[in-house]
Amino acid sequence: WYSPATIAVMVRVIRQHCLGPEGGLACAFVSTPSLFFTLQQNERGSSRVLDCDRALATPEEGLVYYDFNEPENLPQDLKGAFHSVVIDPPFITRDVWEKYAQTARWLLRPKGGLVIATTVTENAPMMQDLLGVHPNRFLPSIPHLPYQYAIYTNFHAPELAGVNTEIPMDPDELLAQIQTGASKAETRANESPVKGAGNKYDFEAMIEAAIRDSGGE
């Protein structure tokens, strides 16, 4: 899934921020087995990986069966037990992310915790809404994937402030586009529908407004 270089950076972030000496369970790896198994065996002892592969789901290895369609159908001793979560769902749609966000809130300690998540850059406004996370400058490399992912966090991670040389695009330009798109979406959400005579919706005026927003003639 992720390139080896991207995995190395993400694991450094996890080691630096998510596996601290706070006691209890450190990190829940939700649908991210590749990151979990990159850790040393002694590091995995304070974490769990939640995955839909029943062949992997053996408690002896810190593995827990997880079906995102049942976001809270998990062992009760995991509720509110984790300092952090790392999430990468198999789908990028909002309905799926809502279920993963529900799982994250269920797993994290009552006062909240650290969140690392990956999804497409276009999901930035949704990710802020669901989990309070923001995209970072370091863009993950996922070979053969036709669209670009970002790494989202709800904390400052200096390790993610650099540029991934595997990615040809300018991360600053991409992040600026994300911010511009989010601002336009918020403006549209706050606008009242354009109405004409008789208080009916004026769809031609609405189309003209959309063209103006896109910079068209």
Side-chain angles (χ1 to χ4, degrees), residues 24 89 151 211:
I151 301 174
I211 292 173

Side-chain angles (χ1 to χ4, degrees), residues 91-109:
F91 305 104
I92 63 175
T93 55
R94 185 181 182 97
D95 60 326
V96 171
W97 264 110
E98 286 175 344
K99 295 172 183 177
Y100 273 84
Q102 182 179 348
T103 298
R105 291 189 291 269
W106 191 90
L107 291 168
L108 288 171
R109 295 172 186 175

Side-chain angles (χ1 to χ4, degrees), residues 139-193:
L139 300 174
S141 172
I142 304 176
H144 312 302
L145 198 68
Y147 34 84
Q148 184 58 53
Y149 266 47
I151 301 174
Y152 296 80
T153 60
N154 65 345
F155 61 95
H156 176 60
E159 303 87 350
L160 298 177
V163 174
N164 185 356
T165 56
E166 297 178 299
I167 304 298
M169 64 182 63
D170 182 343
D172 298 318
E173 181 178 340
L174 181 61
L175 292 177
Q177 291 173 357
I178 291 172
Q179 182 60 42
T180 300
S183 298
K184 286 185 177 180
E186 184 178 358
T187 299
R188 286 194 295 269
N190 292 330
E191 287 178 346
S192 298

Side-chain angles (χ1 to χ4, degrees), residues 18-27 46 80-84 109:
C18 302
L19 302 182
E22 292 198 7
L25 290 173
C27 188
S46 62
F82 291 91
H83 167 61
S84 58
R109 295 172 186 175

Side-chain angles (χ1 to χ4, degrees), residues 33-54:
S34 62
L35 296 173
F36 176 79
F37 285 109
T38 302
L39 297 175
Q40 299 296 323
Q41 188 168 5
N42 63 310
E43 294 175 316
R44 298 200 297 264
S46 62
S47 298
R48 299 290 182 271
V49 59
L50 284 60
D51 198 81
C52 63
D53 188 346
R54 290 187 181 276

Side-chain angles (χ1 to χ4, degrees), residues 2-45:
Y2 307 111
S3 71
T6 291
I7 287 178
V9 170
M10 294 185 70
V11 168
R12 283 203 300 273
V13 173
I14 291 166
R15 284 176 172 144
Q16 178 68 27
H17 301 277
C18 302
L19 302 182
E22 292 198 7
L25 290 173
C27 188
F29 291 80
V30 188
S31 300
T32 51
S34 62
L35 296 173
F36 176 79
F37 285 109
T38 302
L39 297 175
Q40 299 296 323
Q41 188 168 5
N42 63 310
E43 294 175 316
R44 298 200 297 264

Side-chain angles (χ1 to χ4, degrees), residues 103-133:
T103 298
R105 291 189 291 269
W106 191 90
L107 291 168
L108 288 171
R109 295 172 186 175
K111 292 184 179 181
L114 305 183
V115 178
I116 301 174
T118 58
T119 187
V120 292
T121 57
E122 291 83 355
N123 277 351
M126 178 190 76
M127 296 299 289
Q128 175 63 39
D129 180 42
L130 292 178
L131 289 167
V133 295

